[in-house]
Amino acid sequence: MELHDVWFVLIAVLWTGYFFLEGFDFGVGVLTRLLARDRAEKRVLINTIGPVWDGNEVWLLTAGGATFAAFPEWYATLFSGFYLPLLVILLCLIVRGVAFEYRVKRAEESWQRNWETAIFWTSLIPALLWGVAFGNIVRGVKIDSDMEYVGTLWDLLNPYALLGGLVTLTLFTFHGTVFVGLKTVGDIRERARKLALQVGAVTAVLALLFLLWTQVESGDGKSLVAMVVAVAALVAALGAVKAGREGWGFALSGLTIVAAVAMLFLTLFPNVMPSSLDADWSLTVTNASSSPYTLKIMTWCAGIATPLVLLYQSWTYWVFRKRIGTQHIADVAH
C-alpha cells in the first residue's frame, strides 16, 4: 500500500472519529430545544458535554490539517468549491463555542435564553450541512480539467446531498439522545429513552434510503458489507434503547456512524473528489496527494502524536463518566 493510500485511510478515520464524537455533541445541542422542559434541564444537557465538546472538535482540526498536508489539491478544490457552506459551518462552530462559555456570564434570563437558542441552531445547522457536503463529495461535483470546481451553490443542493444532510441531522440527534440517556438520571433519562426510539425510527428510514441510493450508484462488495453493518447496528441500537441498555445503545449508535462513514469512503476510493463532468478530471489519491517525502514525514509525526491525543481524550471521558441530573444543578444565578 502506497503512503497516499495510507493517508486516505487515516483521513477517513479522522472524519469517522469526528462524526462519532461531535455527532452526539451536536445531538445534545439540538435536544436543548426538543427534550429540555425548563432551564435546569437545559443546564443538565449542556453539562453532559461541557467537559468534552472542545476536545471533540480537535478531530475536525486534525482532519482538515491532514487533508491540507496530504492532499493539497483536494483541500484547495473542496474549500473553494464548498466555500459558503463550509464558512457557515465554521461560523456556527465559533458562535457555539462562545455560547457555551458566555451563557453563564450574566444572570439575566434573556441573556441565557439567547445563548441557549444559539447553541440549538449552531448544533443543528452543522449537523445538516456536513451531510450535504459529504453527499456531494461522494456523488461527484463539477470539476474541470484544471481541478477547479466550476459549479454553483445551487448545484450542491441536489436531492441526494439534501437527503444526506437529513440523515446526519437525525442520526446525530439519535446518537445524542442515547448519550443523554447514558449520562443522566431521573425523569430526563426516561424521556430521552422514549425520544430516542422516535428519532431512531425516522433515522432508520432515512438512512436506509440514503445508503441504498449510494450503494446502487457507486457501491461494491465492500461498501455493501459496511451498509449492512450500519443498518444492523442501528436496528440493534433501537432494541438496546428499548431494553434500557443505554451503554449498548450508545456503542451501537456509534457503530452505525462508523460503518456509514466507512461506506462513504469505500465508495469514494480511489477518488477523493469525483468529477461529474468527466471521470478523467476527478481528483484521486494519486493526482491530489503531496510528495512521498512529505507523506513520510507526516506519517512519523502522526505515529508519535496520535497515541498521546487518544490517551488524553480517553482520560477526560473517564474522569467525567458519572451521570448527572437536575438535583446536581446548584440553585444559583451562575
Side-chain angles (χ1 to χ4, degrees):
M1 180 181 288
E2 299 290 337
L3 278 179
H4 50 65
D5 297 330
V6 172
W7 273 98
F8 178 86
V9 174
L10 291 176
I11 289 173
V13 170
L14 290 171
W15 280 110
T16 302
Y18 173 68
F19 287 141
F20 180 98
L21 296 172
E22 194 81 328
F24 73 76
D25 201 324
F26 286 143
V28 173
V30 173
L31 292 176
T32 57
R33 182 70 64 88
L34 300 183
L35 182 63
R37 290 178 174 174
D38 53 33
R39 178 60 43 75
E41 290 190 351
K42 286 184 179 181
R43 291 175 64 186
V44 169
L45 293 179
I46 293 172
N47 285 355
T48 62
I49 59 174
V52 298
W53 68 266
D54 49 354
N56 294 343
E57 292 186 356
V58 170
W59 290 77
L60 173 62
L61 298 175
T62 308
T67 304
F68 171 77
F71 299 99
E73 291 289 352
W74 183 13
Y75 183 93
T77 304
L78 176 64
F79 278 78
S80 60
F82 292 24
Y83 179 81
L84 285 178
L86 292 178
L87 178 62
V88 171
I89 291 174
L90 177 61
L91 292 175
C92 284
L93 295 180
I94 292 172
V95 173
R96 189 169 183 264
V98 173
F100 281 129
E101 300 298 330
Y102 273 57
R103 181 183 59 89
V104 294
K105 297 301 182 183
R106 290 171 58 178
E108 291 90 340
E109 182 178 349
S110 59
W111 171 273
Q112 296 187 5
R113 184 175 60 250
N114 289 338
W115 285 118
E116 288 163 359
T117 299
I119 290 173
F120 169 76
W121 285 109
T122 56
S123 298
L124 185 149
I125 293 172
L128 176 69
L129 291 183
W130 278 128
V132 174
F134 270 82
N136 278 293
I137 292 173
V138 172
R139 177 177 177 266
V141 292
K142 295 180 178 179
I143 299 175
D144 64 11
S145 58
D146 295 323
M147 298 184 180
E148 294 182 359
Y149 178 72
V150 294
T152 66
L153 175 63
W154 304 112
D155 292 325
L156 302 178
L157 303 178
N158 56 80
Y160 175 80
L162 292 175
L163 177 59
L166 291 176
V167 170
T168 52
L169 174 59
T170 55
L171 182 55
F172 290 171
T173 304
F174 172 66
H175 195 40
T177 310
V178 179
F179 178 77
V180 169
L182 179 65
K183 289 287 294 179
T184 58
V185 294
D187 180 59
I188 193 170
R189 177 188 177 189
E190 293 301 317
R191 285 188 282 113
R193 184 175 66 86
K194 294 177 181 178
L195 182 60
L197 294 175
Q198 299 171 1
V199 176
V202 175
T203 303
V205 174
L206 294 176
L208 183 60
L209 289 174
F210 179 72
L211 296 180
L212 279 175
W213 191 344
T214 305
Q215 179 64 26
V216 169
E217 281 202 346
S218 53
D220 56 14
K222 294 179 181 178
S223 62
L224 178 61
V225 172
M227 185 190 78
V228 171
V229 172
V231 173
L234 181 54
V235 173
L238 286 169
V241 171
K242 187 174 183 180
R245 303 294 297 273
E246 291 98 343
W248 279 105
F250 181 71
L252 289 166
S253 65
L255 178 59
T256 303
I257 294 175
V258 171
V261 176
M263 179 188 178
L264 295 182
F265 276 94
L266 285 170
T267 59
L268 191 59
F269 186 81
N271 294 320
V272 295
M273 208 165 176
S275 172
S276 60
L277 299 178
D278 190 326
D280 293 334
W281 296 344
S282 298
L283 300 182
T284 68
V285 293
T286 304
N287 64 21
S289 68
S290 294
S291 68
Y293 184 69
T294 300
L295 297 178
K296 184 177 180 179
I297 294 175
M298 290 175 58
T299 303
W300 278 104
C301 293
I304 296 172
T306 303
L308 298 176
V309 173
L310 292 175
L311 284 173
Y312 174 76
Q313 194 159 28
S314 299
W315 176 78
T316 303
Y317 277 93
W318 175 255
V319 170
F320 296 101
R321 67 189 181 277
K322 292 184 178 180
R323 294 176 181 267
I324 62 173
T326 53
Q327 65 270 29
H328 300 116
I329 302 298
D331 188 19
V332 293
H334 295 280

